[in-house]
């Protein structure tokens, strides 16, 4: 299986973000099958449709980075039962100008992380809804609503300590590698088939 390039987008700007630590854990635990890198969203100006014709350099850089990868993995907190504004802003920026969305057809997975018991379920599914609209094949299983996560869940290297949470995240990363592989390869076969017929 090829080692696919994955952009991880973290929906929190907080320095000590639990979501960022989970993202770093996924980068470390799945390095055999996934080439992961966090794409930062903190510097993105608020999306303004007026700038579709003359986008700020931050939009251009972000869109190029997303266009260059094989898949997207979101790690997000839940803010007031929904997706944090900073993440929604990044999604909107990637989706425009109309007809040029960089999200289109990119396989995705969603991890939500919270110190609360229900693990950001609301944000996870709100984000899933946007991904469906954006024509992103979102991995359905395993689901990842990571609840009761605290600083104590991580070791000195900022990665998840050994235990059920680490096992769950590692399984998810490997399932996502398979998911991306199936989609990338079937798309390639389809393109070859179409080229053959024409
Ligand atoms: C929260 N938090 C929160 N948690 C949750 O499980 N459901 C929620 O709806 C909310 N709402 C919410 C709103 C706002 C504005 C803040 C700042 C926080 C708590 C949140 O899960 C917690 O702060 C996490 O630690 C945030 O994720 P990071 O920054 O650690 O990745």
């Amino acid at each position: 299986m090829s080692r696919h390039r994955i952009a991880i987008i973290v929906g929190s700007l907080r320095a000590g973000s639990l979501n960022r630590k989970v993202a770093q854990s996924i980068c470390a635990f799945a390095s055999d099958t996934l080439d992961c890198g966090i794409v930062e969203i903190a510097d993105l100006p608020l999306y303004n449709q007026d700038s579709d014709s003359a986008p700020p350099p931050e939009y251009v850089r972000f869109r190029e980075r997303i266009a260059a990868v094989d898949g997207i993995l979101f790690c997000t907190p839940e803010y007031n039962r929904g997706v944090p504004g900073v993440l929604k802003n990044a999604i909107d920026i990637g989706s425009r100008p109309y007809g040029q969305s960089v999200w289109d057809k990119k396989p995705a997975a969603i991890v939500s992380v919270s110190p609360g018991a229900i693990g950001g379920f609301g944000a996870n599914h709100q984000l899933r809804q946007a991904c469906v609209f954006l024509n992103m094949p979102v991995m359905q299983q395993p689901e990842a609503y990571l609840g009761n996560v605290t600083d104590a869940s991580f070791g000195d290297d900022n990665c998840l300590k050994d235990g059920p949470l680490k096992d769950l995240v590692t399984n998810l990363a490997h399932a996502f590698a398979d998911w991306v592989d199936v989609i990338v390869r079937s798309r390639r076969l389809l393109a070859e088939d179409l080229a053959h017929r024409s």
Side-chain angles (χ1 to χ4, degrees), residues 10 12-14 16-20 76-82 113-120:
V10 177
S12 167
L13 306 187
R14 197 167 73 83
S17 165
L18 302 167
N19 280 275
R20 181 171 287 268
T76 187
E78 176 175 83
Y79 279 2
N80 301 310
R81 295 286 178 261
V113 182
S114 172
I118 59 174

Side-chain angles (χ1 to χ4, degrees), residues 108-122:
I110 301 172
V111 177
S112 51
V113 182
S114 172
I118 59 174
F121 177 89

Side-chain angles (χ1 to χ4, degrees), residues 1-2 4 70 105-107 137 177-195 197:
M1 185 164 81
S2 324
H4 296 293
D70 302 309
K105 300 187 180 72
K106 299 268 187 213
D178 290 344
W179 179 246
V180 174
D181 197 58
V182 164
I183 288 164
V184 167
R185 280 196 295 128
S186 52
R187 202 148 279 147
R188 200 176 296 144
L189 283 174
L190 198 62
E192 282 169 13
D193 191 44
L194 284 173
R197 286 188 211 194

